[in-house]
Amino acid sequence: MSAKQYSEDHRVVYYETNVTGTVGIGRLVDLMMLASEDQSKQLGVTNEKIAKRGLGWVVTQHIIDITRLPQADDVITLSTIAKSYNRFFCYRDFKVEDQHGNELVKMHSVFVLMDRQKRKIVRLPVDIITPYEAEYTKRIERLKTPQSVENISGQKNYRVRFMDIDANHHVNNVHYFDWMLDALSSDFLLNHRLTKMNISYRQEVYYGDQITSEVELDEKNLTTKHLITTGDQQNCLAECQWEKIK
Amino acid sequence: MSAKQYSEDHRVVYYETNVTGTVGIGRLVDLMMLASEDQSKQLGVTNEKIAKRGLGWVVTQHIIDITRLPQADDVITLSTIAKSYNRFFCYRDFKVEDQHGNELVKMHSVFVLMDRQKRKIVRLPVDIITPYEAEYTKRIERLKTPQSVENISGQKNYRVRFMDIDANHHVNNVHYFDWMLDALSSDFLLNHRLTKMNISYRQEVYYGDQITSEVELDEKNLTTKHLITTGDQQNCLAECQWEKIK
């Protein structure tokens, strides 16, 4: 039995793009997450149903490979599959293709189910996971954890705004990505292209929090390390690989 | 001859909503602007074509009436019509309806064409305006100008971020609205519903600018005045009418 795949199309519009003419990676992750929500709806295991049991899906890590970021007027196909799961973790694969079937972006993500009251991870209930027809495995994937920033090349501070919180009462994904990348100079962002990103979520941030975004740039290897903190708390870590735009 | 109307549908998704469960007004304005861009494309007067002549459309004012802001999973219809124009101004009407034809939002907007190099307003060229079949009128509309903030009830500072700039090299609409409304307390925003907004753009803000958002709240009449400044420069003004949520 192989897991169920789900696909949907999306027309990229101007306000989803930034000054580079492409969709920001944070917005693209939003779009991929939307595909997974839509699959859950189709299979009858909606967020609302899960919320009624006091539970909620939480992403702990995304590993992203970027061939090309879509541009305005691209009609992209977002595909997702809940590939496998073990007692606590569900592994999902995502794919973004352009209208000619060229692969633009791939993403591998780790989901857990959280008891919203106790803020603790729970064992995946059979009736919630079965509809996806994901493969059960005892194996826990050992994914590379992003390393923390050691030598700070840049730092910016942000305050979590009212509009940053979505209807699920979480700071929307896109803001973590924006805080991380905005800590780099515009000169760097205009002249380099993101090719890989490994992002790991540790601890949620909340409305009104003062957050710090630190970045370490290795100019030789064109890699960056990113860290989001609130006081002593590490909230989110990432490593990125870049390529110079000719 | 009556002006050409254009409509398109849009499915509202979770990441377009905020903690109130509805689409933020800034995002909704983005969606309406998208409808006007799509009409321009359909009529063969694209932004690219206009940019080649060194020109660009700029909005100077929006007057918005809100019956209800759409929620996630609403399929809304965005309609627009370039109603009339005079030598320098083009007046557009917008409408947002839900899937049952209920009117959710109305907007009346003023557009001008800007010489991008000289940063000056130009006379509307016949070949650019004709395709919309808008009515020519000598009359210049006397729209109410939002009054400036006098007694500051709240103030927050923002820095224009890299991701705030869209592919047209402008700070995207949504950010002006977010800066203005975020200056209000979350308590106010959670317990009141925006019913009217009159927003007037004076001077663009740019990447890296430090902006200040001031708000004056009249608790008796449930009105707010908003002002965005960079140093001594007034960039954007707005007046809002609110209603208490029961």
Side-chain angles (χ1 to χ4, degrees), chain A residues 24-26 28-30 32 61-67 69 94 96 104-109 173 177 194-201 238-241:
Chain A
I25 184 62
L28 200 62
V29 170
D30 267 348
M32 290 190 268
Q61 192 166 5
H62 291 303
I63 296 176
I64 309 165
D65 284 281
I66 304 160
T67 308
L69 286 169
F94 295 88
V96 181
L104 306 183
V105 175
K106 269 193 322 190
M107 183 166 82
H108 182 69
S109 305
N173 261 303
F177 288 88
L194 183 65
T195 58
K196 286 175 197 295
M197 187 159 183
N198 179 353
I199 182 168
S200 161
Y201 298 92
E239 282 186 47
C240 297
Q241 178 70 55

PDB file of all heavy atoms in Angstrom, chain A residues 24-26 28-30 32 61-67 69 94 96 104-109 173 177 194-201 238-241:
ATOM      1  N   GLY A  24       8.750  34.693  -2.104  1.00  0.00           N
ATOM      2  CA  GLY A  24       9.636  34.440  -0.969  1.00  0.00           C
ATOM      3  C   GLY A  24       9.462  33.005  -0.489  1.00  0.00           C
ATOM      4  O   GLY A  24       8.383  32.427  -0.621  1.00  0.00           O
ATOM      5  N   ILE A  25      10.528  32.437   0.066  1.00  0.00           N
ATOM      6  CA  ILE A  25      10.480  31.035   0.490  1.00  0.00           C
ATOM      7  C   ILE A  25       9.426  30.825   1.591  1.00  0.00           C
ATOM      8  O   ILE A  25       8.758  29.791   1.631  1.00  0.00           O
ATOM      9  CB  ILE A  25      11.888  30.518   0.902  1.00  0.00           C
ATOM     10  CG1 ILE A  25      11.839  29.030   1.255  1.00  0.00           C
ATOM     11  CG2 ILE A  25      12.495  31.332   2.032  1.00  0.00           C
ATOM     12  CD1 ILE A  25      11.418  28.136   0.098  1.00  0.00           C
ATOM     13  N   GLY A  26       9.243  31.821   2.452  1.00  0.00           N
ATOM     14  CA  GLY A  26       8.248  31.701   3.521  1.00  0.00           C
ATOM     15  C   GLY A  26       6.845  31.562   2.968  1.00  0.00           C
ATOM     16  O   GLY A  26       6.061  30.711   3.395  1.00  0.00           O
ATOM     17  N   LEU A  28       6.084  30.478   0.031  1.00  0.00           N
ATOM     18  CA  LEU A  28       6.002  29.198  -0.671  1.00  0.00           C
ATOM     19  C   LEU A  28       5.747  28.058   0.319  1.00  0.00           C
ATOM     20  O   LEU A  28       4.985  27.130   0.031  1.00  0.00           O
ATOM     21  CB  LEU A  28       7.284  28.951  -1.467  1.00  0.00           C
ATOM     22  CG  LEU A  28       7.155  27.930  -2.593  1.00  0.00           C
ATOM     23  CD1 LEU A  28       6.156  28.375  -3.650  1.00  0.00           C
ATOM     24  CD2 LEU A  28       8.506  27.677  -3.238  1.00  0.00           C
ATOM     25  N   VAL A  29       6.369  28.150   1.484  1.00  0.00           N
ATOM     26  CA  VAL A  29       6.118  27.139   2.522  1.00  0.00           C
ATOM     27  C   VAL A  29       4.648  27.213   2.961  1.00  0.00           C
ATOM     28  O   VAL A  29       3.991  26.189   3.126  1.00  0.00           O
ATOM     29  CB  VAL A  29       7.094  27.298   3.714  1.00  0.00           C
ATOM     30  CG1 VAL A  29       6.694  26.419   4.882  1.00  0.00           C
ATOM     31  CG2 VAL A  29       8.520  26.987   3.274  1.00  0.00           C
ATOM     32  N   ASP A  30       4.122  28.428   3.098  1.00  0.00           N
ATOM     33  CA  ASP A  30       2.687  28.600   3.384  1.00  0.00           C
ATOM     34  C   ASP A  30       1.830  27.861   2.364  1.00  0.00           C
ATOM     35  O   ASP A  30       0.847  27.199   2.711  1.00  0.00           O
ATOM     36  CB  ASP A  30       2.296  30.084   3.285  1.00  0.00           C
ATOM     37  CG  ASP A  30       2.369  30.799   4.619  1.00  0.00           C
ATOM     38  OD1 ASP A  30       2.489  30.116   5.650  1.00  0.00           O
ATOM     39  OD2 ASP A  30       2.306  32.035   4.616  1.00  0.00           O
ATOM     40  N   MET A  32       2.659  25.342   0.459  1.00  0.00           N
ATOM     41  CA  MET A  32       2.801  23.884   0.594  1.00  0.00           C
ATOM     42  C   MET A  32       1.991  23.382   1.795  1.00  0.00           C
ATOM     43  O   MET A  32       1.318  22.355   1.722  1.00  0.00           O
ATOM     44  CB  MET A  32       4.281  23.500   0.693  1.00  0.00           C
ATOM     45  CG  MET A  32       5.024  23.716  -0.633  1.00  0.00           C
ATOM     46  SD  MET A  32       6.705  23.021  -0.657  1.00  0.00           S
ATOM     47  CE  MET A  32       7.671  24.422  -0.121  1.00  0.00           C
ATOM     48  N   GLN A  61      10.384  20.540  11.706  1.00  0.00           N
ATOM     49  CA  GLN A  61      11.520  20.781  10.801  1.00  0.00           C
ATOM     50  C   GLN A  61      11.087  20.726   9.338  1.00  0.00           C
ATOM     51  O   GLN A  61      10.218  19.933   8.968  1.00  0.00           O
ATOM     52  CB  GLN A  61      12.606  19.716  11.055  1.00  0.00           C
ATOM     53  CG  GLN A  61      13.934  20.015  10.388  1.00  0.00           C
ATOM     54  CD  GLN A  61      15.076  19.134  10.914  1.00  0.00           C
ATOM     55  OE1 GLN A  61      14.853  18.228  11.720  1.00  0.00           O
ATOM     56  NE2 GLN A  61      16.296  19.397  10.456  1.00  0.00           N
ATOM     57  N   HIS A  62      11.696  21.596   8.529  1.00  0.00           N
ATOM     58  CA  HIS A  62      11.539  21.557   7.066  1.00  0.00           C
ATOM     59  C   HIS A  62      12.940  21.477   6.451  1.00  0.00           C
ATOM     60  O   HIS A  62      13.819  22.274   6.814  1.00  0.00           O
ATOM     61  CB  HIS A  62      10.935  22.855   6.516  1.00  0.00           C
ATOM     62  CG  HIS A  62       9.516  23.131   6.839  1.00  0.00           C
ATOM     63  ND1 HIS A  62       8.488  22.285   6.538  1.00  0.00           N
ATOM     64  CD2 HIS A  62       8.938  24.219   7.410  1.00  0.00           C
ATOM     65  CE1 HIS A  62       7.333  22.835   6.906  1.00  0.00           C
ATOM     66  NE2 HIS A  62       7.575  24.006   7.453  1.00  0.00           N
ATOM     67  N   ILE A  63      13.120  20.584   5.477  1.00  0.00           N
ATOM     68  CA  ILE A  63      14.366  20.570   4.705  1.00  0.00           C
ATOM     69  C   ILE A  63      13.981  20.843   3.249  1.00  0.00           C
ATOM     70  O   ILE A  63      13.210  20.093   2.650  1.00  0.00           O
ATOM     71  CB  ILE A  63      15.115  19.231   4.876  1.00  0.00           C
ATOM     72  CG1 ILE A  63      15.536  19.111   6.345  1.00  0.00           C
ATOM     73  CG2 ILE A  63      16.327  19.163   3.951  1.00  0.00           C
ATOM     74  CD1 ILE A  63      16.191  17.809   6.709  1.00  0.00           C
ATOM     75  N   ILE A  64      14.502  21.952   2.724  1.00  0.00           N
ATOM     76  CA  ILE A  64      14.005  22.490   1.455  1.00  0.00           C
ATOM     77  C   ILE A  64      15.115  22.546   0.413  1.00  0.00           C
ATOM     78  O   ILE A  64      16.226  22.999   0.707  1.00  0.00           O
ATOM     79  CB  ILE A  64      13.440  23.919   1.683  1.00  0.00           C
ATOM     80  CG1 ILE A  64      12.443  23.928   2.859  1.00  0.00           C
ATOM     81  CG2 ILE A  64      12.776  24.450   0.422  1.00  0.00           C
ATOM     82  CD1 ILE A  64      12.113  25.321   3.374  1.00  0.00           C
ATOM     83  N   ASP A  65      14.816  22.061  -0.788  1.00  0.00           N
ATOM     84  CA  ASP A  65      15.739  22.166  -1.939  1.00  0.00           C
ATOM     85  C   ASP A  65      15.086  23.009  -3.022  1.00  0.00           C
ATOM     86  O   ASP A  65      13.974  22.694  -3.447  1.00  0.00           O
ATOM     87  CB  ASP A  65      16.030  20.775  -2.522  1.00  0.00           C
ATOM     88  CG  ASP A  65      16.995  20.013  -1.665  1.00  0.00           C
ATOM     89  OD1 ASP A  65      18.199  20.288  -1.757  1.00  0.00           O
ATOM     90  OD2 ASP A  65      16.522  19.167  -0.874  1.00  0.00           O
ATOM     91  N   ILE A  66      15.790  24.029  -3.442  1.00  0.00           N
ATOM     92  CA  ILE A  66      15.196  24.985  -4.381  1.00  0.00           C
ATOM     93  C   ILE A  66      15.955  24.987  -5.706  1.00  0.00           C
ATOM     94  O   ILE A  66      17.141  25.308  -5.745  1.00  0.00           O
ATOM     95  CB  ILE A  66      15.209  26.414  -3.792  1.00  0.00           C
ATOM     96  CG1 ILE A  66      14.490  26.420  -2.441  1.00  0.00           C
ATOM     97  CG2 ILE A  66      14.584  27.418  -4.760  1.00  0.00           C
ATOM     98  CD1 ILE A  66      14.839  27.600  -1.565  1.00  0.00           C
ATOM     99  N   THR A  67      15.277  24.627  -6.776  1.00  0.00           N
ATOM    100  CA  THR A  67      15.864  24.740  -8.110  1.00  0.00           C
ATOM    101  C   THR A  67      15.586  26.150  -8.642  1.00  0.00           C
ATOM    102  O   THR A  67      16.473  26.822  -9.139  1.00  0.00           O
ATOM    103  CB  THR A  67      15.258  23.693  -9.065  1.00  0.00           C
ATOM    104  OG1 THR A  67      15.374  22.411  -8.435  1.00  0.00           O
ATOM    105  CG2 THR A  67      15.973  23.669 -10.406  1.00  0.00           C
ATOM    106  N   LEU A  69      12.688  29.556  -7.674  1.00  0.00           N
ATOM    107  CA  LEU A  69      11.487  30.055  -6.997  1.00  0.00           C
ATOM    108  C   LEU A  69      10.512  30.577  -8.047  1.00  0.00           C
ATOM    109  O   LEU A  69      10.930  31.231  -9.005  1.00  0.00           O
ATOM    110  CB  LEU A  69      11.849  31.161  -6.000  1.00  0.00           C
ATOM    111  CG  LEU A  69      12.543  30.690  -4.713  1.00  0.00           C
ATOM    112  CD1 LEU A  69      13.100  31.878  -3.934  1.00  0.00           C
ATOM    113  CD2 LEU A  69      11.612  29.871  -3.836  1.00  0.00           C
ATOM    114  N   PHE A  94       6.888  17.237  -0.022  1.00  0.00           N
ATOM    115  CA  PHE A  94       6.193  18.239  -0.835  1.00  0.00           C
ATOM    116  C   PHE A  94       6.985  18.458  -2.131  1.00  0.00           C
ATOM    117  O   PHE A  94       8.213  18.277  -2.153  1.00  0.00           O
ATOM    118  CB  PHE A  94       6.113  19.575  -0.097  1.00  0.00           C
ATOM    119  CG  PHE A  94       5.277  19.557   1.146  1.00  0.00           C
ATOM    120  CD1 PHE A  94       5.833  19.211   2.375  1.00  0.00           C
ATOM    121  CD2 PHE A  94       3.930  19.900   1.096  1.00  0.00           C
ATOM    122  CE1 PHE A  94       5.061  19.209   3.529  1.00  0.00           C
ATOM    123  CE2 PHE A  94       3.159  19.905   2.246  1.00  0.00           C
ATOM    124  CZ  PHE A  94       3.723  19.555   3.469  1.00  0.00           C
ATOM    125  N   VAL A  96       6.938  21.272  -5.648  1.00  0.00           N
ATOM    126  CA  VAL A  96       6.340  22.374  -6.405  1.00  0.00           C
ATOM    127  C   VAL A  96       6.847  22.259  -7.844  1.00  0.00           C
ATOM    128  O   VAL A  96       8.062  22.174  -8.067  1.00  0.00           O
ATOM    129  CB  VAL A  96       6.747  23.753  -5.828  1.00  0.00           C
ATOM    130  CG1 VAL A  96       6.093  24.887  -6.617  1.00  0.00           C
ATOM    131  CG2 VAL A  96       6.391  23.854  -4.356  1.00  0.00           C
ATOM    132  N   LEU A 104      10.443  22.710  -9.253  1.00  0.00           N
ATOM    133  CA  LEU A 104      11.003  23.975  -8.774  1.00  0.00           C
ATOM    134  C   LEU A 104      11.546  23.834  -7.354  1.00  0.00           C
ATOM    135  O   LEU A 104      12.628  24.309  -7.043  1.00  0.00           O
ATOM    136  CB  LEU A 104       9.933  25.075  -8.797  1.00  0.00           C
ATOM    137  CG  LEU A 104       9.195  25.337 -10.118  1.00  0.00           C
ATOM    138  CD1 LEU A 104       8.243  26.505  -9.963  1.00  0.00           C
ATOM    139  CD2 LEU A 104      10.193  25.606 -11.239  1.00  0.00           C
ATOM    140  N   VAL A 105      10.772  23.176  -6.512  1.00  0.00           N
ATOM    141  CA  VAL A 105      11.120  23.084  -5.088  1.00  0.00           C
ATOM    142  C   VAL A 105      10.687  21.726  -4.544  1.00  0.00           C
ATOM    143  O   VAL A 105       9.642  21.195  -4.943  1.00  0.00           O
ATOM    144  CB  VAL A 105      10.413  24.213  -4.282  1.00  0.00           C
ATOM    145  CG1 VAL A 105      10.652  24.067  -2.791  1.00  0.00           C
ATOM    146  CG2 VAL A 105      10.876  25.595  -4.757  1.00  0.00           C
ATOM    147  N   LYS A 106      11.514  21.179  -3.652  1.00  0.00           N
ATOM    148  CA  LYS A 106      11.182  19.955  -2.915  1.00  0.00           C
ATOM    149  C   LYS A 106      11.272  20.272  -1.430  1.00  0.00           C
ATOM    150  O   LYS A 106      12.141  21.033  -1.022  1.00  0.00           O
ATOM    151  CB  LYS A 106      12.205  18.851  -3.214  1.00  0.00           C
ATOM    152  CG  LYS A 106      11.849  17.955  -4.367  1.00  0.00           C
ATOM    153  CD  LYS A 106      12.723  16.707  -4.430  1.00  0.00           C
ATOM    154  CE  LYS A 106      14.190  16.927  -4.071  1.00  0.00           C
ATOM    155  NZ  LYS A 106      15.029  15.742  -4.379  1.00  0.00           N
ATOM    156  N   MET A 107      10.421  19.655  -0.629  1.00  0.00           N
ATOM    157  CA  MET A 107      10.507  19.883   0.819  1.00  0.00           C
ATOM    158  C   MET A 107      10.189  18.589   1.556  1.00  0.00           C
ATOM    159  O   MET A 107       9.272  17.867   1.177  1.00  0.00           O
ATOM    160  CB  MET A 107       9.556  21.001   1.240  1.00  0.00           C
ATOM    161  CG  MET A 107       9.631  21.345   2.726  1.00  0.00           C
ATOM    162  SD  MET A 107       8.797  22.919   3.135  1.00  0.00           S
ATOM    163  CE  MET A 107       7.096  22.390   3.258  1.00  0.00           C
ATOM    164  N   HIS A 108      10.960  18.300   2.588  1.00  0.00           N
ATOM    165  CA  HIS A 108      10.713  17.155   3.470  1.00  0.00           C
ATOM    166  C   HIS A 108      10.432  17.739   4.855  1.00  0.00           C
ATOM    167  O   HIS A 108      11.224  18.532   5.364  1.00  0.00           O
ATOM    168  CB  HIS A 108      11.950  16.251   3.495  1.00  0.00           C
ATOM    169  CG  HIS A 108      11.775  15.028   4.325  1.00  0.00           C
ATOM    170  ND1 HIS A 108      10.928  14.004   3.960  1.00  0.00           N
ATOM    171  CD2 HIS A 108      12.332  14.653   5.516  1.00  0.00           C
ATOM    172  CE1 HIS A 108      10.966  13.045   4.887  1.00  0.00           C
ATOM    173  NE2 HIS A 108      11.813  13.421   5.837  1.00  0.00           N
ATOM    174  N   SER A 109       9.294  17.367   5.452  1.00  0.00           N
ATOM    175  CA  SER A 109       8.883  18.012   6.702  1.00  0.00           C
ATOM    176  C   SER A 109       8.514  16.996   7.773  1.00  0.00           C
ATOM    177  O   SER A 109       8.033  15.904   7.464  1.00  0.00           O
ATOM    178  CB  SER A 109       7.669  18.910   6.454  1.00  0.00           C
ATOM    179  OG  SER A 109       7.949  19.838   5.434  1.00  0.00           O
ATOM    180  N   ASN A 173       4.149  30.951   9.673  1.00  0.00           N
ATOM    181  CA  ASN A 173       5.433  30.522   9.104  1.00  0.00           C
ATOM    182  C   ASN A 173       6.259  31.599   8.438  1.00  0.00           C
ATOM    183  O   ASN A 173       7.454  31.706   8.661  1.00  0.00           O
ATOM    184  CB  ASN A 173       5.126  29.554   7.948  1.00  0.00           C
ATOM    185  CG  ASN A 173       5.263  28.131   8.362  1.00  0.00           C
ATOM    186  OD1 ASN A 173       6.320  27.728   8.821  1.00  0.00           O
ATOM    187  ND2 ASN A 173       4.175  27.410   8.238  1.00  0.00           N
ATOM    188  N   PHE A 177      10.687  33.006   8.479  1.00  0.00           N
ATOM    189  CA  PHE A 177      11.568  33.085   7.311  1.00  0.00           C
ATOM    190  C   PHE A 177      11.967  34.539   7.049  1.00  0.00           C
ATOM    191  O   PHE A 177      13.125  34.832   6.784  1.00  0.00           O
ATOM    192  CB  PHE A 177      10.866  32.501   6.075  1.00  0.00           C
ATOM    193  CG  PHE A 177      10.734  31.007   6.112  1.00  0.00           C
ATOM    194  CD1 PHE A 177       9.649  30.389   6.712  1.00  0.00           C
ATOM    195  CD2 PHE A 177      11.716  30.208   5.537  1.00  0.00           C
ATOM    196  CE1 PHE A 177       9.529  29.006   6.747  1.00  0.00           C
ATOM    197  CE2 PHE A 177      11.604  28.820   5.561  1.00  0.00           C
ATOM    198  CZ  PHE A 177      10.505  28.218   6.168  1.00  0.00           C
ATOM    199  N   LEU A 194      18.818  31.568  -2.926  1.00  0.00           N
ATOM    200  CA  LEU A 194      18.737  30.496  -1.922  1.00  0.00           C
ATOM    201  C   LEU A 194      18.561  29.155  -2.633  1.00  0.00           C
ATOM    202  O   LEU A 194      17.685  29.018  -3.495  1.00  0.00           O
ATOM    203  CB  LEU A 194      17.532  30.781  -1.017  1.00  0.00           C
ATOM    204  CG  LEU A 194      17.276  29.854   0.156  1.00  0.00           C
ATOM    205  CD1 LEU A 194      18.397  29.928   1.183  1.00  0.00           C
ATOM    206  CD2 LEU A 194      15.942  30.201   0.829  1.00  0.00           C
ATOM    207  N   THR A 195      19.399  28.168  -2.293  1.00  0.00           N
ATOM    208  CA  THR A 195      19.267  26.849  -2.950  1.00  0.00           C
ATOM    209  C   THR A 195      18.841  25.752  -1.972  1.00  0.00           C
ATOM    210  O   THR A 195      18.206  24.787  -2.373  1.00  0.00           O
ATOM    211  CB  THR A 195      20.586  26.419  -3.633  1.00  0.00           C
ATOM    212  OG1 THR A 195      21.614  26.377  -2.638  1.00  0.00           O
ATOM    213  CG2 THR A 195      20.959  27.392  -4.745  1.00  0.00           C
ATOM    214  N   LYS A 196      19.222  25.885  -0.695  1.00  0.00           N
ATOM    215  CA  LYS A 196      18.827  24.888   0.308  1.00  0.00           C
ATOM    216  C   LYS A 196      18.535  25.584   1.633  1.00  0.00           C
ATOM    217  O   LYS A 196      19.191  26.576   1.963  1.00  0.00           O
ATOM    218  CB  LYS A 196      19.973  23.886   0.565  1.00  0.00           C
ATOM    219  CG  LYS A 196      20.194  22.869  -0.549  1.00  0.00           C
ATOM    220  CD  LYS A 196      21.427  22.023  -0.215  1.00  0.00           C
ATOM    221  CE  LYS A 196      21.959  21.295  -1.431  1.00  0.00           C
ATOM    222  NZ  LYS A 196      21.054  20.282  -1.994  1.00  0.00           N
ATOM    223  N   MET A 197      17.588  25.045   2.359  1.00  0.00           N
ATOM    224  CA  MET A 197      17.315  25.581   3.695  1.00  0.00           C
ATOM    225  C   MET A 197      16.878  24.434   4.601  1.00  0.00           C
ATOM    226  O   MET A 197      16.064  23.593   4.216  1.00  0.00           O
ATOM    227  CB  MET A 197      16.237  26.657   3.631  1.00  0.00           C
ATOM    228  CG  MET A 197      16.015  27.372   4.952  1.00  0.00           C
ATOM    229  SD  MET A 197      15.206  28.984   4.669  1.00  0.00           S
ATOM    230  CE  MET A 197      15.145  29.625   6.348  1.00  0.00           C
ATOM    231  N   ASN A 198      17.471  24.403   5.795  1.00  0.00           N
ATOM    232  CA  ASN A 198      17.118  23.420   6.820  1.00  0.00           C
ATOM    233  C   ASN A 198      16.683  24.224   8.037  1.00  0.00           C
ATOM    234  O   ASN A 198      17.487  24.909   8.658  1.00  0.00           O
ATOM    235  CB  ASN A 198      18.355  22.553   7.115  1.00  0.00           C
ATOM    236  CG  ASN A 198      18.091  21.509   8.193  1.00  0.00           C
ATOM    237  OD1 ASN A 198      17.039  21.490   8.829  1.00  0.00           O
ATOM    238  ND2 ASN A 198      19.071  20.632   8.407  1.00  0.00           N
ATOM    239  N   ILE A 199      15.404  24.191   8.352  1.00  0.00           N
ATOM    240  CA  ILE A 199      14.872  25.043   9.418  1.00  0.00           C
ATOM    241  C   ILE A 199      14.223  24.180  10.488  1.00  0.00           C
ATOM    242  O   ILE A 199      13.474  23.246  10.184  1.00  0.00           O
ATOM    243  CB  ILE A 199      13.894  26.119   8.862  1.00  0.00           C
ATOM    244  CG1 ILE A 199      13.359  27.045   9.971  1.00  0.00           C
ATOM    245  CG2 ILE A 199      12.746  25.509   8.087  1.00  0.00           C
ATOM    246  CD1 ILE A 199      12.629  28.288   9.446  1.00  0.00           C
ATOM    247  N   SER A 200      14.555  24.465  11.732  1.00  0.00           N
ATOM    248  CA  SER A 200      14.070  23.660  12.853  1.00  0.00           C
ATOM    249  C   SER A 200      13.395  24.583  13.881  1.00  0.00           C
ATOM    250  O   SER A 200      13.982  25.572  14.310  1.00  0.00           O
ATOM    251  CB  SER A 200      15.276  22.932  13.460  1.00  0.00           C
ATOM    252  OG  SER A 200      14.995  22.488  14.747  1.00  0.00           O
ATOM    253  N   TYR A 201      12.149  24.256  14.207  1.00  0.00           N
ATOM    254  CA  TYR A 201      11.373  25.062  15.149  1.00  0.00           C
ATOM    255  C   TYR A 201      11.516  24.476  16.555  1.00  0.00           C
ATOM    256  O   TYR A 201      11.298  23.281  16.752  1.00  0.00           O
ATOM    257  CB  TYR A 201       9.891  25.066  14.762  1.00  0.00           C
ATOM    258  CG  TYR A 201       9.609  25.676  13.404  1.00  0.00           C
ATOM    259  CD1 TYR A 201       9.568  24.884  12.253  1.00  0.00           C
ATOM    260  CD2 TYR A 201       9.409  27.038  13.264  1.00  0.00           C
ATOM    261  CE1 TYR A 201       9.310  25.442  11.004  1.00  0.00           C
ATOM    262  CE2 TYR A 201       9.149  27.604  12.022  1.00  0.00           C
ATOM    263  CZ  TYR A 201       9.109  26.793  10.896  1.00  0.00           C
ATOM    264  OH  TYR A 201       8.855  27.348   9.666  1.00  0.00           O
ATOM    265  N   ALA A 238      18.188  27.796  11.666  1.00  0.00           N
ATOM    266  CA  ALA A 238      18.208  27.387  10.252  1.00  0.00           C
ATOM    267  C   ALA A 238      19.610  27.476   9.675  1.00  0.00           C
ATOM    268  O   ALA A 238      20.448  28.250  10.152  1.00  0.00           O
ATOM    269  CB  ALA A 238      17.267  28.245   9.424  1.00  0.00           C
ATOM    270  N   GLU A 239      19.858  26.643   8.669  1.00  0.00           N
ATOM    271  CA  GLU A 239      21.069  26.752   7.853  1.00  0.00           C
ATOM    272  C   GLU A 239      20.641  26.886   6.406  1.00  0.00           C
ATOM    273  O   GLU A 239      19.739  26.185   5.954  1.00  0.00           O
ATOM    274  CB  GLU A 239      21.934  25.497   7.999  1.00  0.00           C
ATOM    275  CG  GLU A 239      22.727  25.466   9.281  1.00  0.00           C
ATOM    276  CD  GLU A 239      23.683  24.282   9.328  1.00  0.00           C
ATOM    277  OE1 GLU A 239      24.397  24.027   8.329  1.00  0.00           O
ATOM    278  OE2 GLU A 239      23.690  23.586  10.359  1.00  0.00           O
ATOM    279  N   CYS A 240      21.303  27.786   5.691  1.00  0.00           N
ATOM    280  CA  CYS A 240      20.963  28.016   4.288  1.00  0.00           C
ATOM    281  C   CYS A 240      22.194  27.872   3.402  1.00  0.00           C
ATOM    282  O   CYS A 240      23.308  28.193   3.813  1.00  0.00           O
ATOM    283  CB  CYS A 240      20.437  29.434   4.096  1.00  0.00           C
ATOM    284  SG  CYS A 240      18.916  29.769   4.969  1.00  0.00           S
ATOM    285  N   GLN A 241      21.958  27.419   2.181  1.00  0.00           N
ATOM    286  CA  GLN A 241      23.000  27.390   1.151  1.00  0.00           C
ATOM    287  C   GLN A 241      22.595  28.368   0.052  1.00  0.00           C
ATOM    288  O   GLN A 241      21.421  28.394  -0.346  1.00  0.00           O
ATOM    289  CB  GLN A 241      23.131  25.967   0.587  1.00  0.00           C
ATOM    290  CG  GLN A 241      24.142  25.817  -0.531  1.00  0.00           C
ATOM    291  CD  GLN A 241      25.584  25.968  -0.043  1.00  0.00           C
ATOM    292  OE1 GLN A 241      26.001  25.275   0.870  1.00  0.00           O
ATOM    293  NE2 GLN A 241      26.326  26.901  -0.625  1.00  0.00           N
TER     294      GLN A 241
END
